[in-house]
Every structure is written in C-alpha cells, then in structure tokens.
Amino acid sequence: MRRHELSDEEWEFVRPLLPESLRGRKRLDDRTVLNGIVWKFRTGTAWRDVPERYGPWTTLHTQFRRWALDGTFERMLEAAQARADAAGEIDWLVSVDSTVVRAHQHAAGARKRGVRSPDLGRSRGGLTGKIHLACDAFGRPLAFVVTGGNTNDCTQFTTLMEAIRVPRLGLGRPRVRPAHVLGDKGYSSRAIRTWLRRRGISHTIPERADQVRNRLRRGRRCGRPPAFDKQLYKRRNVVERCFNRLKQWRGIATRYDKTAESYKAAVNLASLLMWA
C-alpha cells in the first residue's frame, strides 16, 4: 500500500458496498480506480496529475463523475451506516456544527444561466463554501449539507436533521430521529427549540448572551430558561474532531470542484471511510 491509498482494512470494508454491476468489470480493477480517486482528493491535486499507475486520468474522472451523479457514494455511505446500526454501533447522541471551506479560484467557473452555483458564496475570506454536519457520539458523519460560506447555521438546521436517514438491514423504516442533539449558540433560536420539542427530541443548546438579557428584562413573564447540561455539552467536541478528520483530505479542506455533485461525492467518500 502506498501513501494516500486505501489500506487493506479499508478496501475490505468498502468492497462489499460496491454496486454489483461494477464488481464484475474486467477492464479496470475497482480497487485501482478507488485508489486513484482517493489519492486525488487526499492530496488535493488536479485530475491530470494523478499518477499513471492508477490508469488514465480521464478514466478515473469519468468513473468518479458517473458514481457522483448516480448517487453511488451516497448509497455506499448509507449501507455502511445501516450495517453499523444493525450491530448497535451507533450512539444517537448527535452533535451538529458547520465549518467554512475556502474555495479555490478553479471552483468558481461553473455557472447556470449566468448565476453562480448556490453552494458557493462570498464572505470575508473570499469565495467560500460551508459544510453543515451531524455526527454520532463517536464522531462519525450521519448527514451533511453543503451551502455557501455566508449561510447562517440556524437556517440549515432542519434541512440537516431531515437529511439523517439510516436504513434498516431488514424490515422497518429508516432511523431518522436522534436521541439527543448537541449544538452551539449558533443554533439557539425559538424556532429550532420548538421544532425539536414537537418531535420529542431532547437537546442541549446554550442561550446567546442577548437572549439571556432579553429574558431577564421581561422578569417573571420570561418563563423558565431552557435546560442546559454542562457535562453533556462537553461531548459536543466530537463534531470538531470529525471536521478535523475530514479536512485531512486536502481536496475537501480546499474546494477545487466546480460542481456541487463532485464536492459532495468527495465528502461522502471521506465520510464512508470514517465508518471503516
């Protein structure tokens, strides 16, 4: 195994998740193709600079785009999560947060009818994107949403929660409801707390300073403050560690892809290997 390639353990984890129609291909070995794709995103290099030992770069790019557009990486991630859930290996104490991703100038070329892609935005750092992530108590990704870097975290909370969908291996509906949600002050809003309460999901989200002042100013009319468990909140750091692991992939830490489909596929692939 060379550096940045799949280890034997990672390959044995991923191999059964590959689509049946692809395992029988004789033209190019699936492990070679995946190693080339993984090498490209772990190093953040251009497709043309991927070493020739992985085959023609055009073949790698074509296969990656095919898997990205037909949802192969997303289905593989769901299958890995389903297998872990069936084994009782998912702790449904879910932490949410977001991280800003600097977009390279090469990512700014995709336009549709003269409008920049909505998953990229401008902030103080220039052209940026943002990954909104929900992970389990072990710091493994359950769902994510990609938006522009100037998107407020609280506006994507319900979208992120609704993206959590862990299928069952047997009969039954997919698991979509966390046991408890941990979030920082960016998610402290009446709308979010009401949304969680109506679905019977307990949560630990600290109040912002301005919310505390407004509540105290109203006196007895303010009602009780939301419950907050300091010890439980300390476990929210797993989402920060999850981002750290994702950003070890240079092609994720800095976005070079013009299309949202390609970038999301890369995040799905990196997330998949975190379940290995």
Side-chain angles (χ1 to χ4, degrees), residues 76-223:
M76 292 171 67
L77 176 59
E78 289 182 352
Q81 293 171 344
R83 195 162 62 181
D85 187 49
E89 297 176 353
I90 297 181
D91 187 330
W92 285 91
L93 176 65
V94 175
S95 298
V96 297
D97 205 350
S98 71
T99 186
V100 174
V101 175
R102 183 69 180 269
H104 192 271
Q105 59 183 354
H106 293 167
R111 290 179 178 271
K112 184 177 181 181
R113 297 180 181 178
V115 180
R116 184 182 290 111
S117 178
D119 59 300
L120 285 177
R122 287 198 175 274
S123 59
R124 292 183 178 180
L127 194 64
T128 56
K130 187 178 271 191
I131 301 176
H132 305 261
L133 179 74
C135 70
D136 74 343
F138 299 109
R140 298 171 300 186
L142 289 170
F144 68 90
V145 176
V146 175
T147 67
N150 55 350
T151 303
N152 194 288
D153 291 356
C154 65
T155 63
Q156 298 300 311
F157 179 81
T158 57
T159 303
L160 180 60
M161 288 292 100
E162 291 170 353
I164 298 176
R165 183 182 180 278
V166 178
R168 310 283 187 178
L169 289 184
L171 299 177
R173 296 179 179 179
R175 175 73 183 265
V176 297
R177 182 176 299 178
H180 195 92
V181 173
L182 304 177
D184 62 15
K185 294 181 181 180
Y187 299 97
S188 180
S189 73
R190 180 178 299 179
I192 288 177
R193 296 183 193 276
T194 301
W195 189 91
L196 290 169
R197 191 180 305 112
R198 287 177 177 175
R199 286 157 180 79
I201 303 174
S202 58
H203 58 279
T204 301
I205 302 174
E207 284 187 293
R208 299 196 308 270
D210 64 311
Q211 293 174 331
V212 174
R213 289 194 300 268
N214 292 336
R215 179 168 50 79
L216 295 177
R217 187 168 55 247
R218 291 195 299 269
R220 294 183 178 180
R221 296 177 300 169
C222 68

